[in-house]
Amino acid sequence: MNGVAVITGAGSGIGRASALGLSQAGWRVVLAGRRPEPLADLASSIGKSALALPTDVADSASVDGLFAETVERFGRVDLLFNNAGLSLPATRIDSVGDEDWDRLVEVNLSGAFRCLRAAFRVMRDQSPQGGRIINNGSISAHAPRLHSAAYTATKHAITGLTRSASLDGRELNIACGQIDIGNAATDMASGAVDGMLQADGSIRAEPVMNVDDVARAVVHMAELPLEANVQFMTIMATTMPFVGRG
């Protein structure tokens, strides 16, 4: 059996698919998210190797409780898939309100930091020491969509967090990498099928990929020995407008 994995945003989409993929690969999985019902349903479908822990990544006490309960149940943390995040409808910069900006930064960036910090503390103190952290960036960590300033800024910041964590983790046997995903078929990306806003202002449907393909990529990154690390991986629908975007 593999180790213990904490997955944030596990109730739906990429988080749910990755939790299923990891559990099928033999990991014990801790399912974190804001909505108790989908977490409980997923844990029930996986069985005894799953633990559902409703968590608000915008709250430090909630995040610390997530990791404390994980250690109490399973004894350690070997993997964090730092996946929880929000997006906004397409909104030009001059129309982004403080509340929406603050909410995205609080969840997408500060929430990811809180989870990473808590994982570091557990991985630092456990025996054997160390573990792996995979941050969910985005295609937007490389190239923005039109009218996506708040989301894009948080995802660029995730790249800085990943690089810093990679350096800080070396002395603690903690590996940190990032997966940047484009057009997985989830509720968050449902607009790709109906039509996405393009750089020239037009709206066009875009290709999507099966979310299970993302899960397989996460499992691949997770199962490397700690002596090896995928620092950055981009996985995308093959013909989506990213290479050559704009």
Side-chain angles (χ1 to χ4, degrees):
M1 177 175 286
N2 284 313
V4 179
V6 175
I7 302 102
T8 66
S12 61
I14 290 166
R16 184 181 190 279
S18 298
L20 287 169
L22 288 163
S23 68
Q24 290 162 6
W27 290 77
R28 291 164 287 174
V29 292
V30 179
L31 313 171
R34 291 174 297 162
R35 297 175 297 151
E37 294 80 7
L39 297 178
D41 290 345
L42 180 56
S44 178
S45 70
I46 292 172
K48 293 181 179 179
S49 63
L51 174 64
L53 293 177
T55 304
D56 180 3
V57 299
D59 180 78
S60 291
S62 182
V63 170
D64 291 342
L66 164 66
F67 283 86
E69 289 190 53
T70 298
V71 172
E72 183 176 351
R73 169 70 178 271
F74 292 123
R76 60 183 292 112
V77 174
D78 298 288
L79 172 69
L80 165 64
F81 182 31
N82 217 356
N83 169 69
L86 298 174
S87 63
L88 288 177
T91 308
R92 199 174 61 195
I93 289 174
D94 53 313
S95 297
V96 176
D98 286 347
E99 184 176 341
D100 283 339
W101 172 270
D102 291 344
R103 181 164 59 95
L104 256 70
V105 171
E106 186 65 25
V107 173
N108 292 5
L109 178 56
S110 298
F113 168 75
R114 292 184 187 97
C115 292
L116 189 150
R117 178 180 63 188
F120 251 69
R121 290 169 175 170
V122 172
M123 293 173 179
R124 174 196 66 198
D125 294 338
Q126 64 193 8
S127 181
Q129 188 183 63
R132 186 180 306 277
I133 296 165
I134 301 171
N135 290 327
N136 186 347
S138 170
I139 291 286
S140 292
H142 302 272
R145 288 191 180 275
L146 186 63
H147 300 168
S148 67
Y151 182 79
T152 296
T154 62
K155 292 305 184 178
H156 273 67
I158 290 295
T159 299
L161 189 62
T162 297
R163 293 184 189 277
S164 292
S166 295
L167 288 173
D168 286 3
R170 288 179 179 178
E171 62 183 317
L172 302 173
N173 202 31
I174 298 172
C176 184
Q178 180 170 316
I179 186 166
D180 297 320
I181 302 160
N183 284 11
T186 66
D187 289 343
M188 183 177 283
S190 61
V193 176
D194 300 327
M196 296 290 286
L197 184 62
Q198 305 297 311
D200 62 2
S202 64
I203 295 177
R204 293 196 297 272
E206 294 184 4
V208 297
M209 62 180 170
N210 194 308
V211 71
D212 292 339
D213 295 327
V214 178
R216 280 193 284 272
V218 171
V219 172
H220 168 70
M221 294 174 73
E223 295 201 322
L224 289 171
L226 288 177
E227 293 76 17
N229 186 42
V230 175
Q231 186 67 69
F232 293 99
M233 176 189 286
T234 300
I235 181 168
M236 54 182 269
T238 303
T239 56
M240 70 170 288
F242 169 57
V243 178
R245 181 183 287 189

